[in-house]
Amino acid sequence: MIRSPSFLIIFVILFVAISLYQIKHFITKKEIELAEIKNNVIRVKSDINILNAELSYLKRPDRIEKIALNKLGLKEISPSDIWNLKDLVNVTDSLINGKNK
Amino acid sequence: MKIFSLFDFNVRKDNQFKFRRIKLLTCSLLLIMLFTTIGYRTISLASLKTENISQISSKNVKSKIYNKKIRGNIYDRNNKILSTTISTLSLNINPQEILNKHHTIAKLKKIFPQLKDQDLSKKLNSNRKHINLLREISPKEYVSLLKMGIEGLKIKTKSKRIYPNNNLAAHILGATDIDGKGIAGIEKKFDSQLQEGKDVTLSIHAGIQHITRKLLLEQIKKFEAEGGAGIIINAKNGQVYSIVSLPDYNANNYNSTLSKKLFNKATKGIYELGSTLKLITAAIAFESNLINEDEVFDVSKPLKISSRIITDFHPLNYSINIPEVIVHSSNIGSAKIAEKFGSSIQLKYLKSLGLLNTLSLEIPELGRPQVLMDKKVLTTMTISYGHGISITPMHLASATATIVNNGIKINPTLIKNKDPVQNEKIISKDTSMKMKSIMRLVVSNKHGTAKKAEANGYLIGGKTGTAEKIKPTGGYFKKENIVAFTGAFPMNDPEFIITIMIDNPKGQKFSNGYRTAGWIAAPVVKQIVTRIAPILGVKPQLESESKFSNSLLNYKIRGKNKGANL
């Protein structure tokens, strides 16, 4: 006859062994998931890199210049197109004074 | 009880109790051993060996390529990608695994019509186990291959270095070899850093680089020149915004480019840059205190030294002072100034301005100046107007920056956030102001040689230079010139340096046959500055404003009978 303490010991041993095995499997699974996620991150980063490269290709200064000049009708800035705020105030003042006179 | 008596039935019968105990003990021992073994194995299996699991799982995910560090990117100063690494697919095949070769060839031809039947047949009938069919296939072609279900195909992922802007800054960026190792330009200089996956941010401005390249290229075509170089640097910290060397090449095709195009004329090529060196002569004259500012030099007659006669392109028939020597670009005047301060002082300043040594720019393609150092009077005189001294256009830009930056040495750099270094003072603030005033006159004065560089509002100043090209065998080509301009803007507080060099331009009908810097280099300076100044935040201003007139001196420049000198 197996006495109850022996039964308990066997039960505990079995329980610990099964639990350890379960934990090991759980961790292994998570390790694999983590490795997959890490690789996915690197892969996505690589994809982003490709997209950035494509964006950089599309934003080439020569291409943007052609679009700006030919499609948008923009033109190069000449010095007379640039005004200082101070100059604008002076011009506005002189216009107002001229009207008042 | 002896062991052999255990098999005796009578003995066993007599000692039944003892036998039971032996049996139990044996069984217990066996069970203990069994459980110990099972227990040990259970614990060893259950124990966590993190590294192994990671390795196994990584292998399972089979992405060897991603385990490698991706080479770092190269950015311009506005974080625009100039160079990056992407993953591409290559098509390989194992002929031993192919069952129906004719069928496979037909399938491959459908997706890759560029492949030749003969080549495919030869490769597929080979005894080898691994043959590369195509170095690169597109994702679309890859999907088609998967759909076709061809046996024996091996698709490999590999890294590829690409330059999205093609020709832009190709000479600066350089290239990598097939193993991803830097072999030229920034790729070579910062190879270890890039290999570690670290990025490099350059001081180059992609927009400015494009404008400089485009306008310089137009001028080169217009004057049927062999090539040229264009440099824009910050006058206060030496950060390089643009380095153009023409002809250039598509950086993605480095390996198939002719070496002539790979040559960096801006930093590697050394040239006699002619009268642009007169700026340095004048700076030395002011700085050495050996020449009185009001002192005049007779330039009415050609100057004969040893066997050589020094002449001016358009002679003047009176004596002129230092500012007039520069504005009229008088060789005779410059030679006479140099004769006064002598060879030792000249070499001392050339050295301190960095014109005798290789620059410390962050690319491997750097030229070493060649200067005649025989200390003869004739050599001192010719060096004063840029003959007998060969430097790179980048050397000239660096020296110009030092002259206009209140005399504080400027070392050009290609790195955006480089730690500032307190550099030595080469010339005084007073000399720098005099030089800036004269440089402005060269462009703004009606007798100046760079009148065509005048861009309203941006107050450009500088100096032109035209020199006969040196023959590789020695001596000079009489009908081939190097034309150059070096200057800064806005001249009252210079923020940027611009240096242009054009190699062997041809005289055109519209230039009255002239192939001089005033006709060729100066106009392109005006065009470039007008385009880039708004981008660089340089606001146009009037010369009459106190902000300008208070910071420069007003020298009087006398004219001559016919137009301006070169």
Side-chain angles (χ1 to χ4, degrees):
Chain A
M1 277 283 294
I2 302 171
R3 281 173 291 174
S4 56
S6 307
F7 186 78
L8 192 70
I9 288 167
I10 291 168
F11 178 77
V12 168
I13 289 170
L14 275 172
F15 178 77
V16 169
I18 290 165
S19 302
L20 263 172
Y21 204 72
Q22 281 286 331
I23 291 167
K24 180 236 173 179
H25 268 277
F26 179 75
I27 298 293
T28 309
K29 207 176 147 192
K30 289 293 164 198
E31 283 284 344
I32 292 169
E33 274 177 27
L34 183 67
E36 276 177 357
I37 289 167
K38 275 184 183 172
N39 279 305
N40 277 338
V41 167
I42 296 167
R43 201 175 294 141
V44 169
K45 271 187 185 171
S46 169
D47 289 346
I48 291 170
N49 224 16
I50 293 172
L51 288 173
N52 277 333
E54 282 179 4
L55 184 67
S56 187
Y57 180 74
L58 292 173
K59 280 164 68 180
R60 285 181 344 263
D62 57 323
R63 184 173 172 272
I64 299 293
E65 186 184 38
K66 270 182 201 164
I67 293 170
L69 295 174
N70 303 332
K71 306 275 180 195
L72 301 175
L74 299 174
K75 58 175 191 172
E76 291 136 13
I77 304 169
S78 74
S80 58
D81 295 331
I82 304 166
W83 284 68
N84 287 323
L85 269 177
K86 198 177 78 184
D87 298 333
L88 272 175
V89 172
N90 290 341
V91 170
T92 322
D93 285 350
S94 61
L95 280 172
I96 292 164
N97 292 337
K99 269 185 185 176
N100 289 342
K101 278 177 188 174
Chain B
M1 192 175 63
K2 291 174 183 170
I3 289 175
F4 53 80
S5 56
L6 285 174
F7 301 99
D8 188 337
F9 187 75
N10 293 328
V11 176
R12 284 178 68 176
K13 211 174 179 181
D14 295 341
N15 298 289
Q16 214 168 19
F17 179 70
K18 276 187 181 174
F19 270 106
R20 271 193 195 141
R21 283 193 68 182
I22 290 167
K23 271 185 196 171
L24 269 171
L25 201 70
T26 315
C27 285
S28 303
L29 275 171
L30 281 170
L31 276 170
I32 287 167
M33 280 171 70
L34 193 70
F35 272 102
T36 310
T37 314
I38 290 169
Y40 171 76
R41 185 66 185 142
T42 311
I43 290 166
S44 72
L45 278 173
S47 65
L48 298 170
K49 291 177 184 171
T50 324
E51 281 178 19
N52 288 344
I53 293 163
S54 293
Q55 280 170 6
I56 293 160
S57 55
S58 293
K59 270 181 193 169
N60 287 344
V61 183
K62 56 174 180 181
S63 55
K64 285 178 192 168
I65 183 78
Y66 297 119
N67 291 335
K68 275 189 195 173
K69 269 194 178 164
I70 299 171
R71 191 176 173 87
N73 293 342
I74 303 175
Y75 294 96
D76 87 332
R77 64 183 305 110
N78 298 318
N79 283 330
K80 189 176 160 59
I81 292 178
L82 297 177
S83 172
T84 188
T85 302
I86 58 163
S87 299
T88 56
L89 303 167
S90 69
L91 177 61
N92 305 285
I93 203 157
N94 181 357
Q96 315 307 321
E97 288 179 12
I98 294 169
L99 304 172
N100 188 335
K101 286 175 184 168
H102 290 289
H103 207 62
T104 306
I105 291 172
K107 280 179 177 177
L108 283 171
K109 283 280 289 179
K110 263 189 187 176
I111 306 168
F112 307 105
Q114 74 272 27
L115 292 173
K116 287 176 185 168
D117 280 339
Q118 277 186 338
D119 289 347
L120 275 174
S121 172
K122 199 178 166 186
K123 283 179 177 173
L124 265 58
N125 287 310
S126 160
N127 291 327
R128 286 160 65 193
K129 286 187 177 174
H130 181 95
I131 290 173
N132 179 261
L133 279 186
L134 285 166
R135 281 194 156 197
E136 250 179 74
I137 58 168
S138 69
K140 203 176 167 184
E141 289 164 341
Y142 175 58
V143 172
S144 306
L145 276 171
L146 291 180
K147 278 183 183 168
M148 285 272 191
I150 305 168
E151 69 276 8
L153 291 186
K154 313 276 174 203
I155 309 290
K156 277 193 175 176
T157 312
K158 59 171 193 164
S159 297
K160 189 188 177 194
R161 196 72 170 156
I162 60 155
Y163 304 88
N165 295 286
N166 301 336
N167 290 42
L168 196 86
H171 288 98
I172 304 307
L173 297 172
T176 58
D177 63 11
I178 202 160
D179 300 318
K181 197 181 165 205
I183 51 169
I186 291 287
E187 296 277 21
K188 187 177 180 183
K189 192 79 180 179
F190 291 89
D191 190 45
S192 52
Q193 187 179 328
L194 291 163
Q195 295 260 22
E196 284 170 22
K198 290 176 190 163
D199 299 329
V200 174
T201 304
L202 301 183
S203 59
I204 293 286
H205 187 300
I208 305 294
Q209 178 78 16
H210 162 69
I211 292 166
T212 312
R213 179 184 179 272
K214 189 193 165 196
L215 296 173
L216 186 61
L217 188 63
E218 279 175 11
Q219 197 74 340
I220 285 170
K221 283 182 183 165
K222 214 167 149 182
F223 283 90
E224 300 169 75
E226 277 179 30
I231 296 163
I232 312 284
I233 64 173
N234 186 310
K236 297 183 195 297
N237 59 23
Q239 287 195 9
V240 178
Y241 278 58
S242 164
I243 299 182
V244 175
S245 173
L246 293 168
D248 59 4
Y249 58 96
N250 186 334
N252 295 296
N253 306 329
Y254 181 87
N255 292 325
S256 56
T257 306
L258 296 170
S259 58
K260 195 181 168 188
K261 286 185 177 180
L262 295 177
F263 187 75
N264 190 337
K265 284 183 155 67
T267 62
K268 177 94 174 153
I270 54 166
Y271 309 91
E272 285 193 354
L273 295 171
S275 300
T276 52
L277 268 288
K278 283 174 189 160
L279 285 181
I280 290 154
T281 304
I284 299 171
F286 288 129
E287 195 63 20
S288 64
N289 289 324
L290 291 169
I291 298 159
N292 194 330
E293 205 180 319
D294 302 323
E295 200 168 334
V296 288
F297 302 88
D298 181 15
V299 295
S300 59
K301 289 172 202 148
L303 184 64
K304 195 176 178 210
I305 298 288
S306 310
S307 56
R308 187 141 172 189
I309 299 168
I310 298 168
T311 56
D312 281 341
F313 195 72
H314 287 297
L316 295 167
N317 56 4
Y318 54 89
S319 298
I320 55 176
N321 58 21
I322 297 173
E324 285 172 326
V325 167
I326 304 302
V327 174
H328 290 294
S329 197
S330 167
N331 292 341
I332 302 167
S334 183
K336 286 190 170 178
I337 294 169
E339 190 184 13
K340 279 225 158 190
F341 56 66
S343 168
S344 301
I345 289 179
Q346 187 183 51
L347 288 173
K348 181 190 140 196
Y349 279 99
L350 289 178
K351 193 180 178 187
S352 56
L353 283 165
L355 300 184
L356 301 183
N357 303 311
T358 311
L359 287 169
S360 58
L361 202 68
E362 297 89 352
I363 48 170
E365 296 82 14
L366 297 171
R368 188 174 173 79
Q370 284 181 11
V371 185
L372 280 174
M373 306 237 268
D374 55 14
K375 295 196 172 184
K376 286 180 183 169
V377 177
L378 178 63
T379 306
T380 309
M381 285 180 164
T382 57
I383 285 175
S384 77
Y385 56 88
H387 292 256
I389 174 167
S390 297
I391 54 171
T392 69
M394 186 51 91
H395 275 96
L396 185 61
S398 169
T400 310
T402 303
I403 289 171
V404 300
N405 185 39
N406 293 329
I408 297 164
K409 180 100 185 274
I410 289 292
N411 293 316
T413 176
L414 277 162
I415 302 303
K416 190 187 173 189
N417 295 320
K418 200 175 179 183
D419 296 331
V421 182
Q422 190 62 43
N423 284 329
E424 56 178 325
K425 205 168 176 69
I426 310 296
I427 58 169
S428 66
K429 196 175 174 182
D430 190 42
T431 300
S432 178
M433 188 171 73
K434 286 174 188 168
M435 290 310 301
K436 285 189 273 187
S437 310
I438 296 171
M439 285 165 78
R440 175 66 192 141
L441 285 170
V442 173
V443 176
S444 64
N445 191 273
K446 62 179 177 179
H447 306 297
T449 57
K451 288 195 298 287
K452 289 183 192 298
E454 176 72 332
N456 285 336
Y458 293 121
L459 311 173
I460 303 170
K463 181 74 192 82
T464 54
T466 305
E468 285 168 355
K469 212 173 152 179
I470 303 171
K471 284 181 185 172
T473 50
Y476 292 91
F477 290 109
K478 288 290 165 199
K479 289 188 174 176
E480 291 186 18
N481 285 353
I482 294 284
V483 298
F485 176 95
T486 190
F489 65 95
M491 226 43 229
N492 54 327
D493 182 19
E495 288 184 44
F496 292 93
I497 302 296
I498 177 165
T499 300
I500 297 293
M501 184 280 290
I502 295 178
D503 182 0
N504 190 19
K506 316 285 183 302
Q508 304 294 317
K509 238 183 183 180
F510 57 82
S511 70
N512 303 321
Y514 281 113
R515 46 191 166 81
T516 57
W519 272 95
I520 300 163
V524 79
V525 169
K526 176 190 174 176
Q527 290 169 14
I528 292 172
V529 172
T530 309
R531 287 283 304 276
I532 67 171
I535 301 170
L536 295 168
V538 177
K539 288 174 192 139
Q541 51 183 311
L542 295 170
E543 207 146 356
S544 54
E545 279 180 6
S546 57
K547 194 182 161 193
F548 179 83
S549 47
N550 287 347
S551 56
L552 292 180
L553 301 163
N554 192 18
Y555 291 109
K556 274 195 174 175
I557 304 296
R558 291 167 291 169
K560 54 188 165 106
N561 299 334
K562 277 185 184 179
N565 192 356
L566 177 142

